[in-house]
Amino acid sequence: MATMVEYTKMRASDENHKDLLWALGLNRFTLRIMGLWPDGNDTKESIGNSIRVPIMIMFMLFALFLPQMYALVLVINDLPLVLDNLMTSISSFTSSFKLFFLWHNKKVLRPVVESAIKDWMSPKNNWKRETMINQAKLARFFTIGGYGVIVGCLVSFSAAPLIGIDIRMISNITDYGDRYLMVQSYFPYDYSKSPAFELTYASQVIGGICVALCVSSPDNYFGALVLHAAAQFEILAYDIEHFLCKSEDSADNEEEFRKELGCLVDRHVHLTRMMSAVEKSFNLVIAAQLFCMSAMICCLGFQILNMFSNSGNKSSLLQIMTLIATLIMLMIHTLLDCFASETVMTSRSRIFYSVYNIGWYRRPKKIIRDLIPMMVISAKPPPLTAGKIYYLSLATYAYVSMNEIWQDSFDLAVTISSTTHHTQPTNFYLKQGLGPK
């Protein structure tokens, strides 16, 4: 009999471990590559992790961002080239910013990750498991979709120039020779000859991989943790409602009632602290993501509108698809942040309704004093924010992405198309050989 019980426990533990790997395995894999996963045994890997993150930041800054800033100075009088430069340089700088702050808050997120692992490994009934699985499915959907799109964009940006397809605008201001780099950039040496070209191009590809990881992984990490917390708040609301109904119908003594209620209150305080840690770690990271999405969608919207409006621009199908996929990728990750935040806010408010609808006012005064703080906090829980500026919600996402940005990109495209057809080239263009002869 004892052997059968042990076998059942081992089988349940194996199933819980499989669920854990299914829910958080992909995020753990990518974050371990970046050195950001808060393992419990960081002492042996601390040296490797401390070197890995600065190396990634170095590649993004010295292979992409700084050469692009020098090129931006050279093309500052040509607005289409400026927008083409900003489309990639902003993402490089934002990715470095996100990576640094996520690395800086790695220890803050360790209790959150440990709590999520404990939730998955603890015994639970079928309903609680299904609730956690349903939220994890949403996180996996966004994670796999985001990674798939960004891998396609990275392959297009890195491989297309090698086969003669231009994903960006080519000019004789920053580009020279027969071979072009992955992004618009300037280096203080002649990179058109071998092996300088191969080494420079390889450094930009490595920097592009780092940017792709830093654009996707923090938002997927945030979505997985917040949606898991949403499932835990939903489970807690069910436990509170079930407990109050059971205690109302039964004749349990007050001591046992207060003991069980204390466990529920402690769980609510624990989950609230975990959400505070997530807010502290990710609010600047998500603010950088919103800034990057706002700027890049303006640039991408202009690029796409300019392709269809300019008859002299022979754009390839791969170029149009890559730009649209980049735009979709940015909007997917921002949607994940806002959707996860609104989901956890809804789940937290359910605790208030679970206590309120069960007749809390009919309880003894000592019990009411324990229930009121939980109701007050759950009625209007502190929201997740982006840099303490925006409340993360679907309404914010709709306002930022659909209203402001698309209108700004359309106005920008109309303004530039009108000015480019009615203005003469500046002396800068004539000096560079771009003006009429």
Side-chain angles (χ1 to χ4, degrees), residues 82-305:
V82 169
L83 295 177
D84 183 71
N85 183 296
L86 293 176
M87 187 175 62
T88 50
S89 60
I90 289 177
S91 61
S92 302
F93 177 76
T94 305
S95 298
S96 303
F97 183 88
K98 293 170 66 175
L99 178 60
F100 174 78
F101 275 95
L102 201 58
W103 180 45
H104 178 71
N105 293 311
K106 178 180 176 181
K107 293 183 179 180
V108 179
L109 289 172
R110 180 176 298 171
V112 182
V113 175
E114 291 176 351
S115 176
I117 294 174
K118 184 179 178 180
D119 293 336
W120 280 106
M121 295 301 296
S122 61
K124 60 186 77 67
N125 57 35
N126 291 332
W127 181 85
K128 293 181 179 180
R129 179 178 178 274
E130 285 298 322
T131 302
M132 297 172 63
I133 289 291
N134 289 335
Q135 297 294 347
K137 284 180 180 179
L138 295 174
R140 277 178 58 88
F141 172 77
F142 282 103
T143 299
I144 295 174
Y147 280 139
V149 174
I150 203 167
V151 166
C153 295
L154 178 63
V155 171
S156 298
F157 268 102
S158 58
L162 298 178
I163 59 177
I165 299 177
D166 299 329
I167 302 296
R168 61 181 180 87
M169 300 177 67
I170 305 297
S171 69
N172 59 358
I173 303 175
T174 58
D175 302 295
Y176 50 88
D178 297 331
R179 297 184 292 184
Y180 306 124
L181 295 176
M182 188 173 69
V183 296
Q184 182 193 117
S185 52
Y186 180 85
F187 291 90
Y189 57 85
D190 185 6
Y191 61 80
S192 61
K193 299 179 182 179
S194 298
F197 176 81
E198 286 77 9
L199 293 175
T200 305
Y201 200 92
S203 67
Q204 289 197 341
V205 171
I206 296 174
I209 294 173
C210 296
V211 170
L213 287 173
C214 295
V215 167
S216 296
S217 299
D219 299 290
N220 296 331
Y221 190 21
F222 174 82
L225 293 179
V226 173
L227 288 175
H228 174 79
Q232 296 306 309
F233 277 111
E234 189 173 346
I235 292 171
L236 179 61
Y238 169 80
D239 289 340
I240 291 174
E241 184 175 359
H242 179 71
F243 165 71
L244 293 177
C245 290
K246 182 184 68 173
S247 62
E248 189 177 21
D249 297 335
S250 62
D252 294 336
N253 56 43
E254 183 179 349
E255 182 179 356
E256 183 178 352
F257 177 85
R258 291 181 64 84
K259 183 179 179 180
E260 294 185 23
L261 180 61
C263 294
L264 296 174
V265 172
D266 290 340
R267 178 62 176 170
H268 184 252
V269 172
H270 171 75
L271 292 177
T272 303
R273 288 177 177 173
M274 295 301 101
M275 293 307 301
S276 298
V278 171
E279 159 72 12
K280 178 181 178 181
S281 302
F282 282 96
N283 73 87
L284 290 177
V285 173
I286 297 176
Q289 173 70 14
L290 281 177
F291 167 75
C292 180
M293 188 194 76
S294 302
M296 288 191 65
I297 289 183
C298 286
C299 299
L300 287 170
F302 164 74
Q303 293 282 70
I304 294 173
L305 292 174

Side-chain angles (χ1 to χ4, degrees), residues 334-402:
T334 308
L335 176 62
L336 172 60
D337 296 335
C338 296
F339 173 78
S341 300
E342 182 151 323
T343 301
V344 76
M345 290 291 292
T346 304
S347 299
R348 295 175 77 173
S349 63
R350 286 179 183 173
I351 296 177
F352 168 78
Y353 292 106
S354 297
V355 179
Y356 184 83
N357 294 332
I358 206 63
W360 61 277
Y361 45 85
R362 295 194 299 266
R363 304 289 174 173
K365 292 182 179 180
K366 293 182 179 180
I367 305 303
I368 292 177
R369 284 198 295 266
D370 294 332
L371 293 176
I372 285 179
M374 184 186 298
M375 295 176 62
V376 171
I377 296 175
S378 302
K380 194 175 181 181
L384 297 174
T385 64
K388 305 294 184 180
I389 301 174
Y390 285 108
Y391 290 157
L392 292 178
S393 64
L394 293 179
T396 301
Y397 173 79
Y399 174 77
V400 172
S401 61
M402 302 300 178

Side-chain angles (χ1 to χ4, degrees), residues 290-335:
L290 281 177
F291 167 75
C292 180
M293 188 194 76
S294 302
M296 288 191 65
I297 289 183
C298 286
C299 299
L300 287 170
F302 164 74
Q303 293 282 70
I304 294 173
L305 292 174
N306 192 46
M307 285 178 187
F308 293 104
S309 63
N310 189 1
S311 59
N313 186 10
K314 298 181 179 179
S315 304
S316 64
L317 180 61
L318 179 61
Q319 183 177 6
I320 298 175
M321 291 177 60
T322 303
L323 293 177
I324 294 177
T326 306
L327 188 149
I328 292 174
M329 178 267 299
L330 290 170
M331 299 186 70
I332 285 176
H333 287 101
T334 308
L335 176 62

Side-chain angles (χ1 to χ4, degrees), residues 4-68:
M4 190 66 180
V5 172
E6 292 178 358
Y7 172 76
T8 304
K9 290 182 178 180
M10 291 177 59
R11 183 175 180 181
S13 178
D14 291 339
E15 291 179 355
N16 292 335
H17 189 260
K18 290 180 180 179
D19 292 339
L20 172 65
L21 293 179
W22 177 83
L24 299 176
L26 189 56
N27 285 288
R28 184 176 67 173
F29 174 75
T30 54
L31 291 171
R32 276 183 172 174
I33 292 177
M34 301 167 65
L36 296 176
W37 182 258
D39 283 316
N41 53 351
D42 272 347
T43 54
K44 296 181 180 179
E45 300 179 355
S46 59
I47 298 178
N49 291 340
S50 61
I51 295 176
R52 200 176 307 167
V53 172
I55 288 177
M56 293 178 65
I57 294 177
M58 181 186 67
F59 270 104
M60 287 187 288
L61 291 180
F62 290 98
L64 294 176
F65 180 70
L66 294 180
Q68 286 183 282

